[in-house]
Amino acid sequence: MKKTFLIAGIISLFLAFPLVGKAQYTEFRPGEVWNDTEGNYINAHGGGILYHNGTYYWYGEYKKGKTILPEGATWECYRTDVTGVGCYSSKDLMNWKFEGIVLPSVKDDPNHDLHPSKVLERPKVIYNRKTGKFVMWMHVDSADYGKASAGVAVSDSPTGTFTYLGSFRPNDAMSRDQTVFVDDDGRAYQFYSSENNATMYISLLTDDYLKPSGRFTRNFIGMSREAPAVFKHDGKYYLITSGCTGWDPNVAEIAVADSIMGEWKTIGNPCTGPDAEKTFYAQSTFVMPVAGKKDAYIAMFDRWNKTDLRNSRYVWLPIVFKDGKVTIPWRKEWTLDVFGK
Ligand code: DGJ
């Protein structure tokens, strides 16, 4: 009898606490260690999120192994070998399940864009309603960042495996830090730091999202902005960017436009609170609209650890729209309740 009680007790304990020993988050803690549901560090740097059929998918640089400064480097181009793009899924934006490496590196061809010796940064995935395909755009580069190109991969499922289609310089112009954005009308755009990072290009993609359409504008000419993160709120477009200081933090800027191709007007640093002038020691990567909530956007930043890049952290903060201003105040911890129920 006693034994039966003991077994029943153990079973109910497991039912009540199925994730004992594993990550189970009830709040966001910007800058702190963030584990996946298996208890491993979330590894999705320079990332972006796709919301599809009730699930969020977080894609990012899967950084493994030592960080090195290549021999003869003339600037702090710290790097880890490319392992590929990692993907995590979540329903609540706090607890993330690792879905695997959805675009793996290519180890047996030293000339391939995805060879471990190269650079793969800032992957973003968008869904094309017309073709039913998931399209990934990313920054691919040589170890010295001289190639400055955009890579494109495609998949039938959000969790891959993605097929790499190749790389090019969109509109015959350099492309480094980048993101992609789908507007309400289904048109998609690539934002990328071009002309050696001096100027931000905004390029309309073809209807299948696989290539530039040929229509593009040059923005923030000579202003050296990178790390673009775009969102639309109340019919206006917003763009958060950083300055260009390698892996080191600097002051963020937000710009607004009535039309996505410009003209863009810079309205200042959106960050407020301690270390706001250093973007909380982080750099923008994406802005995530929270599904089903009005005026609810999460600004995602990377807090780079330049000499140990795999140990970089994430800073996610809610965007506040108040008195005609757009701000990103520092918060040590927060929940989705900040957006109202
Ligand atoms: C800043 C960029 O935003 C990062 O993605 C990365 O390219 C580093 N520069 C490299 O120094």
Side-chain angles (χ1 to χ4, degrees):
M1 192 61 178
K2 259 189 181 168
K3 209 172 160 193
T4 324
F5 270 125
L6 191 68
I7 293 169
I10 291 171
I11 291 174
S12 41
L13 253 176
F14 269 101
L15 287 176
F17 303 104
L19 291 173
V20 169
K22 294 182 181 174
Q24 174 82 76
Y25 296 100
T26 51
E27 64 213 351
F28 296 97
R29 290 180 167 267
E32 293 193 12
V33 168
W34 197 352
N35 287 339
D36 65 15
T37 52
E38 292 301 314
N40 301 310
Y41 288 1
I42 295 178
N43 201 338
H45 309 278
I49 291 183
L50 170 76
Y51 181 69
H52 187 74
N53 285 349
T55 300
Y56 296 96
Y57 297 92
W58 178 0
Y59 303 89
E61 304 157 23
Y62 195 86
K63 291 191 178 295
K64 243 177 97 181
K66 271 197 168 157
T67 295
I68 54 143
L69 190 57
E71 222 174 286
T74 52
W75 62 289
E76 286 191 329
C77 49
Y78 287 105
R79 66 186 308 282
T80 53
D81 275 0
V82 172
T83 40
V85 175
C87 174
Y88 295 80
S89 66
S90 174
K91 298 265 185 203
D92 66 6
L93 286 163
M94 265 176 285
N95 296 287
W96 293 90
K97 174 177 174 266
F98 184 47
E99 295 285 354
I101 306 279
V102 295
L103 179 70
S105 61
V106 176
K107 296 193 181 65
D108 55 4
D109 178 1
N111 294 318
H112 198 283
D113 286 346
L114 305 181
H115 188 261
S117 63
K118 305 289 173 72
V119 164
L120 191 181
E121 291 178 350
R122 298 183 178 271
K124 305 285 180 300
V125 174
I126 49 182
Y127 175 66
N128 189 304
R129 276 173 195 246
K130 281 190 194 150
T131 62
K133 304 275 185 197
F134 297 84
V135 182
M136 182 188 293
W137 281 71
M138 70 210 91
H139 168 198
V140 294
D141 226 318
S142 42
D144 64 358
Y145 286 77
K147 187 178 170 93
S149 296
V152 180
V154 72
S155 168
D156 291 326
S157 143
T159 51
T161 304
F162 281 76
T163 304
Y164 190 66
L165 301 181
S167 70
F168 47 85
R169 284 190 165 178
N171 304 301
D172 289 326
M174 290 170 125
S175 178
R176 291 205 183 101
D177 277 13
Q178 65 100 47
T179 193
V180 278
F181 175 82
V182 181
D183 206 346
D184 303 330
D185 61 4
R187 289 183 182 206
Y189 301 81
Q190 188 206 6
F191 286 59
Y192 56 100
S193 303
S194 192
E195 301 178 11
N196 224 1
N197 296 348
T199 296
M200 180 73 61
Y201 279 40
I202 301 172
S203 161
L204 173 68
L205 302 183
T206 49
D207 286 350
D208 58 11
Y209 300 172
L210 299 179
K211 290 187 209 83
S213 69
R215 264 193 67 203
F216 69 95
T217 54
R218 296 168 67 237
N219 303 270
F220 310 100
I221 296 169
M223 290 165 78
S224 297
R225 307 305 302 169
E226 60 180 9
V230 195
F231 62 102
K232 189 176 187 180
H233 175 252
D234 262 352
K236 286 192 190 298
Y237 300 89
Y238 293 88
L239 174 65
I240 303 174
T241 57
S242 76
C244 294
T245 51
W247 297 109
D248 295 328
N250 53 54
V251 63
E253 269 176 17
I254 188 162
V256 63
D258 291 325
S259 156
I260 191 160
M261 299 284 259
E263 204 168 302
W264 289 85
K265 186 178 167 245
T266 300
I267 48 177
N269 178 8
C271 302
T272 63
D275 303 316
E277 295 306 306
K278 292 275 184 212
T279 317
F280 318 119
Y281 287 93
Q283 188 185 30
S284 44
T285 183
F286 198 75
V287 172
M288 171 68 218
V290 180
K293 292 202 184 236
K294 201 177 167 290
D295 301 339
Y297 297 79
I298 299 175
M300 295 165 52
F301 303 86
D302 294 285
R303 185 176 282 173
W304 300 116
N305 181 342
K306 70 177 174 188
T307 55
D308 189 10
L309 285 164
R310 66 188 161 176
N311 267 318
S312 300
R313 303 273 168 262
Y314 312 103
V315 172
W316 286 22
L317 290 164
I319 299 183
V320 174
F321 302 91
K322 210 178 155 203
D323 305 329
K325 282 196 179 155
V326 184
T327 57
I328 307 173
W330 171 253
R331 288 171 204 256
K332 203 167 172 296
E333 53 188 57
W334 61 281
T335 69
L336 293 178
D337 288 349
V338 299
F339 300 121
K341 300 260 175 184

